[in-house]
Amino acid sequence: MIFWGPPGTGKTLLAKAIATALGAAITVVSGPELKSKWVGESEQNIARAFSEARADGAMLIFDEADSLLADRRGAERSWEVSQVNEMLTWMESHPLPFVCTTNFAENLDPATQRRFTFRIRFDFLSADQLALAWAAHFPCPPPAGLSALERLALGDFANVARRMRTLGEAYPQEILRELTREAASKVGAGR
């Protein structure tokens, strides 16, 4: 499976929930932690991650998978190609479920498309989902104006909730102001 979309939308969280529902152990690795400055070591790290997950019966979750599956057409060095080749080979033969997450699906090598049985896009919260996220994080009713916010994810609500706990008692308008700041800090067009 590939879960892709903006940061904070719950990609890794859902992957962990699926593993839990399947009763599988969870192994989370990030692309950057598997990469090495030594030629051939990244490929060995990829192979080890898949082998260990198979031996443990674990669901493997590759967070930030775009760093391991970058489009080979833009590669400048041979090891960049061999790293993607190694990842694709293991993806093809791995017998257990695995999930790759990325914020940058457009940067993935085209050969990844047929390796994923499910390709699921995560997006920012809709107006209805904003109210549900509010209710999950804050004990007070949402103020007018919440549904007008765009480009918010579950992770934004979690951040603001932590911020409000740190600052002490928070009023709905203060929470809304912080969520507005979160939305304004994002790059791109509206929902």
Side-chain angles (χ1 to χ4, degrees), residues 20-39:
T20 300
L22 293 173
I26 302 167
T27 301
V28 180
V29 294
S30 69
E33 77 183 57
L34 294 178
K35 294 183 87 168
S36 171
K37 65 181 179 178
W38 306 109
V39 174

Side-chain angles (χ1 to χ4, degrees), residues 93-117:
S93 64
H94 191 63
L96 300 172
F98 66 92
V99 177
C100 292
T101 68
T102 182
N103 301 332
F104 303 105
E106 67 276 7
N107 296 341
L108 296 179
D109 192 274
T112 62
Q113 291 303 307
R114 70 179 184 86
R115 290 342 192 263
F116 295 118
T117 305

Side-chain angles (χ1 to χ4, degrees), residues 163-183:
R163 191 176 308 143
M164 295 293 102
R165 281 192 304 274
T166 301
L167 296 174
E169 188 175 337
Y171 299 99
Q173 289 302 324
E174 292 173 31
I175 298 168
L176 182 63
R177 188 175 319 115
E178 291 301 313
L179 288 169
T180 302
R181 287 177 52 196
E182 291 290 322

Side-chain angles (χ1 to χ4, degrees), residues 79-144:
W79 60 265
E80 293 171 308
V81 173
S82 64
Q83 173 187 287
V84 175
N85 289 345
E86 184 73 15
M87 187 74 178
L88 291 171
T89 300
W90 278 97
M91 289 168 66
E92 187 85 37
S93 64
H94 191 63
L96 300 172
F98 66 92
V99 177
C100 292
T101 68
T102 182
N103 301 332
F104 303 105
E106 67 276 7
N107 296 341
L108 296 179
D109 192 274
T112 62
Q113 291 303 307
R114 70 179 184 86
R115 290 342 192 263
F116 295 118
T117 305
F118 299 100
R119 293 180 294 278
I120 300 171
R121 168 138 171 76
F122 287 60
D123 210 342
F124 295 113
L125 299 172
S126 68
D128 292 338
Q129 292 169 328
L130 289 172
L132 294 171
W134 181 286
H137 288 89
F138 307 111
C140 53

Side-chain angles (χ1 to χ4, degrees), residues 46-62:
I46 290 167
R48 184 173 31 262
F50 275 103
S51 294
E52 288 175 1
R54 180 184 290 179
D56 296 341
M59 185 161 135
L60 190 53
I61 302 171
F62 287 97

